[in-house]
C-alpha cells in the first residue's frame, strides 16, 4: 500500500467509491419495479464491485495483485457507467441525476488511474 496508509479504509478512492455506490443504490431505488431482477440488480452488483475490488486488492500480498484488482475496479466502474447511460435512454432517471453519478464515476476513475500509476512507479523503483 502507499505510505501513511495502513488499510484500504484509509484510501480516499475507497471512501469515494463507497459514497458513490450508496448514491447508485439511491438512484436505482426509483427505477421501475419490473427492473428489480434485471438492470437494478446488475447495476448495483457492478457498483458494489468497485469498492470491493479496491479493498480486496489492498489485502493482497503483492503490488502487482493490488494493481490488477484496481484494474478490475475500473472495469466495474465502466460497466456501471454503461448501465447508467442505458437507464437514461430508458427514462428511468433524470439527466441531472445521471450526470452527477457519471461525474462521480469519472472522478473515481481518475483516482484509480493515479493510484495505479503511483503503485507502478513504486514497484519499478
Amino acid at each position: 500500500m502507499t505510505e501513511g496508509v495502513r488499510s484500504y479504509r484509509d484510501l480516499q478512492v475507497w471512501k469515494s467509491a463507497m459514497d458513490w455506490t450508496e448514491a447508485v443504490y439511491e438512484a436505482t431505488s426509483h427505477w421501475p419495479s419490473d427492473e428489480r431482477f434485471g438492470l437494478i440488480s446488475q447495476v448495483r452488483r457492478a457498483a458494489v464491485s468497485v469498492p470491493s475490488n479496491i479493498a480486496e486488492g489492498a489485502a493482497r500480498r503483492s503490488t502487482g495483485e493490488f494493481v490488477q484488482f484496481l484494474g478490475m475496479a475500473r472495469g466495474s466502474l465502466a460497466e456501471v457507467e454503461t448501465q447508467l447511460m442505458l437507464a437514461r435512454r430508458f427514462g428511468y432517471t433524470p439527466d441531472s441525476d445521471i450526470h452527477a453519478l457519471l461525474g462521480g464515476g469519472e472522478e473515481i476513475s481518475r483516482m484509480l488511474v493515479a493510484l495505479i500509476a503511483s503503485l507502478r512507479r513504486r514497484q519499478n523503483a
Side-chain angles (χ1 to χ4, degrees):
M1 237 180 277
T2 58
E3 276 186 47
V5 176
R6 296 188 316 262
S7 167
Y8 64 88
R9 292 181 304 271
D10 296 328
L11 294 169
Q12 184 57 49
V13 68
W14 178 82
K15 294 174 188 177
S16 295
M18 292 289 285
D19 292 342
W20 181 77
T21 299
E22 187 175 353
V24 168
Y25 263 72
E26 171 58 27
T28 59
S29 71
H30 305 290
W31 292 3
S33 61
D34 64 340
E35 285 289 357
R36 188 175 60 203
F37 300 111
L39 192 56
I40 292 171
S41 176
Q42 192 170 358
V43 73
R44 285 178 171 184
R45 277 195 315 271
V48 166
S49 290
V50 177
S52 297
N53 276 306
I54 295 166
E56 186 171 355
R60 294 295 175 137
R61 299 185 71 136
S62 73
T63 301
E65 286 179 300
F66 190 11
V67 168
Q68 180 181 0
F69 275 86
L70 293 174
M72 286 189 275
R74 287 193 70 223
S76 293
L77 189 59
E79 183 179 352
V80 174
E81 290 173 345
T82 298
Q83 293 159 352
L84 290 172
M85 288 185 264
L86 285 169
R88 178 174 49 200
R89 286 183 177 205
F90 300 154
Y92 294 165
T93 303
D95 283 348
S96 60
D97 292 352
I98 295 293
H99 182 72
L101 290 169
L102 292 174
E106 289 171 7
E107 178 61 25
I108 292 165
S109 182
R110 283 191 292 274
M111 294 169 78
L112 287 167
V113 167
L115 180 55
I116 290 167
S118 173
L119 289 167
R120 284 186 174 150
R121 278 192 306 273
R122 193 179 82 184
Q123 188 178 29
N124 295 329

